[in-house]
Amino acid sequence: MTENVIKVGMADLKHTSHPGRLITLGLGSCVGIALYDTKTKMIGLAHIMLPWSYQAKNSSNKAKFADTGIRLLLDNMLESGANKNSIVAKLAGGAQMFSFSNVSDMIRVGERNVEATKKILQELNIPVIAEDTGGKHGRTIEFFSEDGRLMIKTIGYGVTYI
Amino acid sequence: MDASYLNSFHLDILKEIGNIGAGNAATALAKMLDKKVDMEVPQIKIMGFSEVSEVLGGAETPVAGILLGICGDISGYILFVLEENAAQKLVNILMGRNPAEEVEYDEITLSALKEIGNILTGSYLSALSTLTGLLIKPDVPDIAIDMAGAILSVPAIEFGRTTDTVLYIETEFIEGENRVIGDFFLVPDIDSYMKLINALGAAY
């Protein structure tokens, strides 16, 4: 079988069956939520921008928010045959690219994205088994269905796998 | 209010705003470098979030981004993005070093880049202020050297709170043989766009 390589944009979510690879480029304050079904090896990736849909004036794009995005990704995966009980999560992103002293709400968006993401995953009983979040740097991530490993590329902080 | 309400007349006005602001900044940059700096016709980019990371030669391109908040009669951000090589060259020229010298991003280099951003965005915004009669002031700058996608996502997230599209007024700077060295992104929030258009005498 040929491997499906799918790019996930900002405020976007995708999933694929094994063998597949999901990529999202240049995560800043956004958070990449990688869901892995350890039984079927199905993978899903959401690239969310903001924490809560109810705090926004326009919430039509569900993939934009942690709360609606994670739920939608999970639903899509379950519909395609994933098994809820064997899904685990890995997180990357949520950095603070700029450190302003006077734009209070904006500076913490990365941190709040991570908080919201963890809260939703907890509500859904999906364990977070690894994360590379926070800091001040951008990340590109690649998610492999083969073993659920998540590659994280940075500028100046090298390449790591979680 | 959504960017889709803007008609071609509005877009022309926004282009003119980019033209005048960036023109002033290009002059300031040319003075700093003692070189001729040209600029492209400004582009108004209205795009979905998925396209944002593709601006500036790809999401993973290393760039120096200097971001300033805008306050006064309008609010939003102004982002000056320099190709990493250009950023190094600029700092070297300003420090009186060989332009090709490898630069370490220490405290002094970063504050020199911030100052460059400060001067250029200051001249951009003061031209805009004179043109519109609105009070437009820059806030304290901050700098990040990182992936273009990660840096551009910062203003995009602000748009994300209210719309599903991002509106950038982008002006490219060119030095010598068509070498793009920098990009200006004026990102007022959506209400401020209307204030700018109104101030220039157009009804919407």
Side-chain angles (χ1 to χ4, degrees):
Chain A
M1 264 195 288
T2 49
E3 185 190 39
N4 292 314
V5 181
I6 304 171
K7 219 173 181 181
V8 181
M10 197 184 291
D12 188 13
L13 51 85
K14 297 271 163 46
H15 68 286
T16 179
S17 52
H18 178 64
R21 193 163 21 125
L22 296 169
I23 302 172
T24 199
L25 305 173
L27 282 169
S29 308
C30 299
V31 173
I33 298 126
L35 299 184
Y36 184 57
D37 180 351
T38 52
K39 279 202 181 122
T40 63
K41 294 190 172 185
M42 187 188 291
I43 51 173
L45 183 62
H47 180 156
I48 61 101
M49 299 173 77
L50 289 161
W52 304 103
S53 57
Y54 62 82
Q55 287 176 345
K57 283 179 192 149
N58 178 342
S59 53
S60 56
N61 177 3
K62 288 186 174 169
K64 200 157 74 175
F65 307 97
D67 56 349
T68 46
I70 295 169
R71 289 202 166 86
L72 180 62
L73 179 64
L74 179 66
D75 287 348
N76 290 350
M77 287 174 72
L78 297 179
E79 222 168 85
S80 303
N83 188 336
K84 171 87 180 14
N85 298 323
S86 51
I87 291 179
V88 294
K90 293 182 178 180
L91 312 178
Q96 183 183 314
M97 301 305 298
F98 294 95
S99 46
F100 289 104
S101 49
N102 51 350
V103 194
S104 57
D105 201 34
M106 170 183 168
I107 58 162
R108 288 192 60 243
V109 70
E111 198 181 316
R112 289 190 298 121
N113 279 338
V114 175
E115 279 169 17
T117 297
K118 286 183 178 167
K119 202 157 177 223
I120 298 297
L121 288 170
Q122 195 178 16
E123 276 174 32
L124 295 167
N125 280 320
I126 297 174
V128 177
I129 58 165
E131 64 175 296
D132 176 18
T133 56
K136 286 198 70 180
H137 58 281
R139 296 167 172 94
T140 279
I141 57 175
E142 279 190 53
F143 191 27
F144 299 85
S145 68
E146 193 187 2
D147 51 4
R149 74 184 186 281
L150 189 67
M151 179 173 77
I152 297 153
K153 288 195 277 183
T154 64
I155 292 179
Y157 296 86
V159 178
T160 48
Y161 289 89
I162 61 170
Chain B
M1 178 59 218
D2 202 277
S4 55
Y5 285 83
L6 298 171
N7 63 31
S8 65
F9 181 53
H10 297 149
L11 295 180
D12 281 344
I13 290 175
L14 295 177
K15 264 185 208 169
E16 191 51 27
I17 285 170
N19 226 345
I20 287 163
N24 220 29
T27 310
L29 183 61
K31 269 190 201 145
M32 265 196 262
L33 293 176
D34 200 16
K35 278 195 173 121
K36 191 165 174 281
V37 174
D38 287 323
M39 57 179 229
E40 285 289 338
V41 176
Q43 286 184 49
I44 309 299
K45 294 196 164 159
I46 301 173
M47 53 195 159
F49 296 122
S50 54
E51 301 159 70
V52 169
S53 56
E54 301 306 320
V55 184
L56 294 173
E60 294 183 282
T61 313
V63 297
I66 299 138
L67 184 72
L68 296 94
I70 300 173
C71 54
D73 290 333
I74 64 167
S75 54
Y77 301 94
I78 184 161
L79 175 67
F80 182 56
V81 181
L82 274 168
E83 180 202 304
E84 210 207 353
N85 290 337
Q88 300 211 353
K89 202 170 150 193
L90 260 179
V91 170
N92 283 333
I93 291 170
L94 283 183
M95 303 275 208
R97 296 185 295 227
N98 177 358
E101 199 173 307
E102 187 77 17
V103 166
E104 201 184 315
Y105 289 108
D106 52 13
E107 220 32 53
I108 294 171
T109 305
L110 292 180
S111 66
L113 281 171
K114 265 191 220 174
E115 194 46 34
I116 293 169
N118 223 356
I119 292 167
L120 298 186
T121 48
S123 48
Y124 189 119
L125 294 180
S126 80
L128 196 49
S129 192
T130 310
L131 178 74
T132 56
L134 295 169
L135 177 69
I136 304 171
K137 291 192 306 186
D139 247 320
V140 186
D142 194 22
I143 183 164
I145 317 264
D146 216 303
M147 301 174 181
I151 285 173
L152 281 171
S153 74
V154 174
I157 286 174
E158 289 309 297
F159 272 86
R161 296 179 198 278
T162 45
T163 71
D164 281 328
T165 47
V166 191
L167 205 166
Y168 292 132
I169 303 177
E170 184 193 8
T171 316
E172 273 182 359
F173 279 2
I174 291 165
E175 183 234 297
E177 297 279 303
N178 286 337
R179 234 173 64 80
V180 176
I181 51 172
D183 261 288
F184 255 115
F185 292 90
L186 180 66
V187 195
D189 59 36
I190 207 80
D191 294 331
S192 299
Y193 267 106
M194 286 303 131
K195 277 194 193 155
L196 285 170
I197 287 170
N198 271 346
L200 293 174
Y204 64 92

